[in-house]
Amino acid sequence: GEAHAAATSSATGVTEAALPDPFLRTSAASGGLGLGATRAAMLEGPKQVGILVEWIELDARDANKLVRKHAARSGAAAMREEVEAMIDAEAAVLLDTSYVITKSGQRAKVESIDEVIYATEYDPPEIPQTLTLEGGSGVKATPANPTAFETRNVGPTVEVDPVIGPDSSLIEINIAPEWVEYLGRSYQTREGTENFEIADFWMPQFFAIKATTAMSLRSGVPELVSVLKPKEEARRVLLFVQADTMFVPGPAVGIEDQPAEGAGR
């Protein structure tokens, strides 16, 4: 038969049956394999996908050893456990964790960013109509006037488009994670005439690491998406993703019997 774990809510006193594992196959009377009525109903019911993305930085040599050791294996559960031990030993750093839930076939985006707004186009600088030059010295023109701007998001951004397979355990995803760093300003000077210099203007400098790929994942099994090189040459960033099929439960047991908010006061 099917095993159910019971949990009691201390707030309502209602006992609710935990959802069974839909991927657990049980023996049928004939000796074959069957899903059971409850599990079959769950597989046909509404589902969502939880996407977990982790950015982990470590030494470049350690990253190389890990990838060479685990590259031929399907799934990255063993690698992720080994990396977790390195994090505990402070040999690796968990830079960021992103998590989002979406429906199958629906694109989702999660970002933790600062916005850097900067000018991309300028009106030409103006030179005064009347000038008095002494000794052939140059004169600065009126600064160029910015007329168009762009915004660059700084920080981690993840876009993902998952599709749950017919058996609900295989998940196909298109994923595009990106991490952008703001490095500061780079000043530019436009050349003027012999006696006039165009005033300086600045442009921002960014550094970005990103990956764009499509993958097939088993629900609940982490996978290595990519190895990326950050700004520091001797470091690497391991990018892990895990997708989980989430079965939407039916109405809560006894919910219609619970008192309305404020009743009995």
Side-chain angles (χ1 to χ4, degrees):
E2 299 172 2
H4 297 264
T8 302
S9 170
S10 59
T12 63
V14 177
T15 300
E16 298 182 1
L19 293 175
D21 182 357
F23 303 127
L24 177 63
R25 292 182 175 270
T26 57
S27 297
S30 60
L33 294 176
L35 285 174
T38 302
R39 294 183 181 88
M42 290 178 64
L43 289 175
E44 295 174 359
K47 295 177 283 289
Q48 301 182 122
V49 184
I51 304 292
L52 173 68
V53 177
E54 297 172 304
W55 308 73
I56 301 174
E57 183 180 337
L58 69 168
D59 182 80
R61 291 186 62 188
D62 291 337
N64 180 266
K65 291 177 182 178
L66 283 169
V67 173
R68 291 174 63 89
K69 178 180 178 181
H70 297 280
R73 301 184 182 181
S74 178
M79 181 191 294
R80 182 61 185 85
E81 289 181 5
E82 195 168 337
V83 171
E84 185 67 24
M86 296 177 67
I87 295 174
D88 292 339
E90 299 184 354
V93 179
L94 178 61
L95 298 177
D96 188 74
T97 299
S98 299
Y99 184 74
V100 65
I101 297 175
T102 186
K103 293 182 178 181
S104 177
Q106 296 294 316
R107 179 169 299 179
K109 183 177 183 180
V110 57
E111 51 190 9
S112 302
I113 58 161
D114 289 323
E115 293 184 344
V116 176
I117 302 173
Y118 59 97
T120 56
E121 296 181 11
Y122 293 84
D123 276 342
E126 298 179 358
I127 299 176
Q129 296 295 320
T130 304
L131 297 174
T132 302
L133 302 179
E134 297 181 1
S137 60
V139 177
K140 288 274 188 182
T142 303
N145 183 44
T147 58
F149 298 84
E150 287 187 5
T151 300
R152 185 75 183 269
N153 295 336
V154 175
T157 299
V158 176
E159 289 191 38
V160 61
D161 186 0
V163 176
I164 301 174
D167 66 351
S168 297
S169 68
L170 183 67
I171 304 172
E172 306 284 350
I173 68 168
N174 293 310
I175 187 169
E178 180 179 28
W179 189 300
V180 179
E181 294 183 33
Y182 174 61
L183 301 182
R185 299 181 177 186
S186 173
Y187 284 88
Q188 314 269 339
T189 299
R190 293 181 180 176
E191 296 296 332
T193 63
E194 180 179 354
N195 292 326
F196 299 98
E197 294 179 358
I198 304 303
D200 292 342
F201 63 96
W202 69 270
M203 293 294 291
Q205 288 184 311
F206 298 100
F207 179 84
I209 53 177
K210 56 185 177 180
T212 302
T213 187
M215 306 176 68
S216 299
L217 307 175
R218 284 294 173 187
S219 178
V221 180
E223 187 60 84
L224 179 67
V225 178
S226 181
V227 179
L228 304 164
K229 185 174 75 67
K231 188 66 177 174
E232 189 176 346
E233 289 288 337
R235 305 289 285 177
R236 293 294 182 269
V237 174
L238 301 183
L239 184 63
F240 289 94
V241 62
Q242 179 175 318
D244 295 274
T245 301
M246 306 173 66
F247 296 87
V248 180
V253 176
I255 193 170
E256 67 278 358
D257 298 326
Q258 297 182 23
E261 184 177 357
R265 295 181 181 176

